[in-house]
Amino acid sequence: MPKSAKKALPILKPGVKAPNFTLKTTPDQSVSLRDFLGRPVVLTFYPADWSPVCSDEMGLYAQVMPEFKKFEAEVLGVSVDGVWSHLSFSKDRKLNFPLLSDFEPKGAVSKLYGVYEEDNGESARALFVIDKKGLIRWSYLSPDGVNPGAEGILSALEKLR
Amino acid sequence: MPVGDRDHSEGTSDAPLVLVEYGDYQCPYCGAAYPILKRVQKELGSSLRFVFRNFPITNSHPQAEWAAETAEAAAAQGKFWEMHDFLYENQRFMGDEAYFAKQETKLKLDATRIAREAAKGAYSSRIEEDYMSGIRSGVNGTPTFFINGVRYDGYPGFEPMVAALKAAQKAPSRKK
């Protein structure tokens, strides 16, 4: 898809309460955002399991996990892939945080956060740092195909202190 | 993290241009960049200082940490660049420790000591320091380059890199 065809997404901004959601993380387990109240949450939306940039991004977060843990932060990955794909992807890349399946109704949570790309039916690459009270404190929409790295997340987590 | 005495570097410390690479020895893109960097260094000669920092992506490259440890262990015996170059020139043998040990002996390094140090992760804190300095500078994969402290997002080819370096040399000097 040419970049010019893309409309600006209505990504939720800092200061907004993070909408609650419940998504499957394995075939028989679900997680809700509100389960994490009391701890900062890093919510990372990405287009698809297995695509090269995502792999780097999720793999990077897995590797930076000890740093995130210094802030007692939980990391949650979200894409529209199904749980079986998530399980396999997570195992292959040795991910150490849950991947959530925004699968049915498709992209509902991504839409809630204003990061769903209607044209290709995938989540955009977007990051949210949510504080322990459930307030969005930082959000970032990454350009197509660019791994946003971890620096923005770490800076946002530092500012929560 | 500013370039300093702790870093492995080639070229003089007062060179007007400083090129920092965050690299992974098992990363194929770093392997592809390796001969290009050699040409870039040759082209720019004494005006360039080249620095290598570790950014092992261990969950997709199982030998990356071992390779980084091996290069650091060689550095402790004064031969970082010899080992760095050999690792990149022999990426396809990554994991064959006997193969690398043979080269270490050829370089008159204590291969037993390198193997012992690499196995116990003797240089893991240094590698971690490199890695985190990369994360905090916005490194998101390998190789990532910085020219005089500014991230180079262009194509890692010979012409574009030389052009970017020459442009940086003409620009008023900022942070190094």
Side-chain angles (χ1 to χ4, degrees):
Chain A
M1 185 188 65
K3 278 181 186 172
S4 54
K6 231 170 90 175
K7 286 186 293 260
L9 291 170
I11 180 171
L12 293 185
K13 295 279 188 276
V16 174
K17 192 175 176 335
N20 189 50
F21 56 79
T22 301
L23 288 175
K24 278 191 170 181
T25 177
T26 69
D28 52 9
Q29 280 178 303
S30 295
V31 300
S32 295
L33 183 63
R34 70 162 80 89
D35 300 342
F36 301 101
L37 281 174
R39 273 170 288 172
V41 172
V42 177
L43 193 57
T44 163
F45 290 86
Y46 64 100
D49 291 345
W50 306 108
S51 85
V53 180
C54 309
S55 315
D56 286 338
E57 188 188 353
M58 294 302 124
L60 188 76
Y61 297 157
Q63 202 163 343
V64 182
M65 191 56 78
E67 294 300 312
F68 295 145
K69 285 292 169 199
K70 286 181 188 163
F71 300 94
E72 294 173 351
E74 293 292 334
V75 178
L76 304 174
V78 183
S79 79
V80 298
D81 295 282
V83 284
W84 298 106
S85 175
H86 273 350
L87 278 179
S88 178
F89 178 62
S90 179
K91 193 174 161 200
D92 185 76
R93 302 298 149 94
K94 302 181 183 69
L95 302 185
N96 47 15
F97 53 89
L99 297 180
L100 278 47
S101 192
D102 196 9
F103 184 71
E104 180 59 37
K106 191 179 171 211
V109 173
S110 307
K111 285 175 195 162
L112 208 55
Y113 280 77
V115 297
Y116 187 70
E117 295 193 337
E118 302 278 353
D119 302 350
N120 53 12
E122 290 176 342
S123 308
R125 202 176 298 284
L127 297 167
F128 295 86
V129 168
I130 299 166
D131 70 12
K132 56 186 179 183
K133 289 180 181 159
L135 214 61
I136 294 172
R137 297 292 291 271
W138 181 74
S139 67
Y140 177 76
L141 185 64
S142 191
D144 264 2
V146 177
N147 172 352
E151 163 54 17
I153 299 172
L154 290 170
S155 296
L157 287 170
E158 273 167 2
K159 285 183 194 137
L160 295 186
R161 289 197 152 168
Chain B
M1 182 165 71
V3 168
D5 292 341
R6 68 173 290 289
D7 284 300
H8 300 304
S9 80
E10 283 184 318
T12 56
S13 59
D14 58 354
L17 289 170
V18 182
L19 175 65
V20 176
E21 174 186 9
Y22 282 91
D24 169 325
Y25 291 107
Q26 209 186 344
C27 159
Y29 303 102
C30 300
Y34 166 78
I36 291 164
L37 292 166
K38 288 283 176 208
R39 282 176 63 203
V40 169
Q41 283 180 279
K42 210 171 166 190
E43 176 77 16
L44 291 160
S46 61
S47 53
L48 181 67
R49 181 183 188 188
F50 175 59
V51 171
F52 180 87
R53 286 179 177 168
N54 295 290
F55 199 85
I57 301 174
T58 51
N59 54 0
S60 42
H61 299 145
Q63 308 296 337
E65 185 75 21
W66 169 83
E69 287 281 350
T70 297
E72 292 300 332
Q77 298 180 42
K79 294 209 167 141
F80 172 77
W81 289 103
E82 289 83 346
M83 207 60 214
H84 165 278
D85 291 1
F86 190 77
L87 284 160
Y88 275 127
E89 285 161 17
N90 294 273
Q91 274 191 320
R92 63 191 183 285
F93 296 110
M94 209 56 82
D96 183 347
E97 295 184 24
Y99 179 84
F100 288 93
K102 216 182 277 176
Q103 178 67 10
E104 288 156 12
T105 307
K106 218 183 271 178
L107 289 170
K108 300 200 167 44
L109 292 167
D110 179 347
T112 316
R113 184 180 147 195
I114 292 178
R116 190 178 62 234
E117 290 179 341
K120 71 170 184 193
Y123 302 98
S124 62
S125 63
R126 182 199 164 86
I127 294 165
E128 175 69 14
E129 192 174 82
D130 278 0
Y131 183 84
M132 279 316 298
S133 81
I135 288 289
R136 297 316 308 245
S137 311
V139 173
N140 55 14
T142 53
T144 295
F145 299 100
F146 291 85
I147 295 173
N148 288 359
V150 179
R151 193 163 88 182
Y152 170 74
D153 287 329
Y155 182 75
F158 176 73
E159 283 86 9
M161 286 194 93
V162 167
L165 284 158
K166 284 185 173 165
Q169 196 171 2
K170 280 184 200 137
S173 67
R174 280 167 301 203
K175 59 177 177 175
K176 267 191 190 168

